[in-house]
Each structure stands twice: as C-alpha cells, then as structure tokens.
Amino acid sequence: MSENEAAGAEAPAATRSDPPIYEATLWPNRSLSGGGFVAVMAFTGAMLTLPLAAVGLGAVALGLAPFLAATLAALAWAIARSNRDGRLQERLRLWADLVEVERREPGGRVRRWSANPYWVTVTVHPEGRGRPDSYLTLAGAGREIELGAFLSPEEREALAEELLGAFAQARSAGGPG
C-alpha cells in the first residue's frame, strides 16, 4: 500500500454513515503486561546477580558488572521495542461497493488502500519464493496488498475464510458497479 492512497474508491469510508457488511481490526499479539515486564526484569536481574555472589565483591565482580547491566538494558530495550511494534493495527471495512484497508504503523504513518469489492481477489499463497506459509493478500484496483502479516498461518487461513464469505456477501448485495 502506498501512503494515503485510495485507488478505486467510490466514496471515502470516513464519510460513510452506513454500517459496513464486515469489519475487522487486526493487531499483533502482546502477551506481556506492564506487571509482567516488571516481573521479567526483576527475575532476570536476580539471576544475573548469582555470578556476582559466586565470585564475591572483588575485581572479578567489578569486571562482570558492566556486562550484566548491559544484558538487563538490552532486554529492557528489546521488550520496549516489541511493545512499540505491537501498536501496529490493520483495519478492514467492507461495504457492497467499497473495501478499505487502513494500516496504522507504530511510528504514526497511516497507509490506505481501497477498491470495489466486486473485483477484489482474496488469495492465500503457499509457502515458497521468500513468502511465509499462508501469505494472505488482497488484489484489486491495480494493486496487491498483504494483510495480517503478523498473524500465525492458521489465523491467516481463518481470516481468509471469513473474508471470502464477506466478499461473497458484498458481491451479492452490490454488483460490479
């Protein structure tokens, strides 16, 4: 999807007052809560102090301490980065005459794609050619976009089944327009 692109849209979805036939908001799984973060950091910190206790408070402990602190800092950075990346959202809305996908990235960038659902194809690609297993795409209005890249293969397949049903419903309600 390119930034702020709305190819093939009959009406911007933001101005629509009618409810969509189908709507889904997707985001990556985030299983570590704030309390969990504190627990992981406390446990890791306690485990990293064990080598210091084994060698005492001498020169060896002073030599190890910066590496242990760097390990804790790297872990905190990695968890914070994962949480930031988890703010990604993809929102799909489908009407009889319009499908719109809006992707909100962690950095604030918003990318949009839209098309007439009558001409959109939903495809689950098999693994291969550098693609992950069950790579899900929507194609229409001269573009092909990936949907739910952060989902598991099973979740992408289940989403594809839902989308196929929703697009069939939209086509029966609308027509080629």
Side-chain angles (χ1 to χ4, degrees):
M1 287 185 280
S2 67
E3 189 171 359
N4 298 323
E5 181 172 19
E10 293 184 16
T15 62
R16 305 259 330 212
S17 60
D18 56 327
I21 293 170
Y22 178 84
E23 184 172 6
T25 302
L26 311 172
W27 62 88
N29 180 33
R30 296 288 127 216
S31 58
L32 186 63
S33 66
F37 171 76
V38 171
V40 166
M41 294 303 293
F43 177 77
T44 304
M47 291 297 106
L48 289 174
T49 60
L50 289 179
L52 294 179
V55 296
L57 295 176
V60 174
L62 288 175
L64 286 176
F67 295 102
L68 302 179
T71 300
L72 268 180
L75 178 62
W77 175 84
I79 292 172
R81 171 69 190 261
S82 176
N83 284 336
R84 185 184 77 82
D85 290 348
R87 291 193 307 251
L88 171 74
Q89 278 192 349
E90 292 178 346
R91 183 176 183 198
L92 182 139
R93 293 184 293 173
L94 174 64
W95 291 268
D97 61 343
L98 177 68
V99 59
E100 180 184 70
V101 176
E102 179 180 272
R103 179 183 170 102
R104 295 187 172 273
E105 296 180 352
R109 182 175 174 191
V110 177
R111 297 172 12 172
R112 291 181 176 88
W113 171 86
S114 60
N116 183 324
Y118 190 82
W119 303 109
V120 172
T121 57
V122 178
T123 308
V124 178
H125 300 273
E127 186 175 11
R129 295 188 339 185
R131 291 182 174 151
D133 191 22
S134 302
Y135 183 80
L136 176 60
T137 61
L138 301 178
R143 306 228 21 184
E144 183 175 45
I145 64 164
E146 179 182 15
L147 191 63
F150 44 81
L151 299 174
S152 71
E154 295 80 18
E155 290 170 325
R156 285 191 296 268
E157 289 174 7
L159 177 60
E161 288 300 317
E162 280 184 34
L163 291 175
L164 288 169
F167 275 93
Q169 183 181 355
R171 287 180 186 116
S172 68

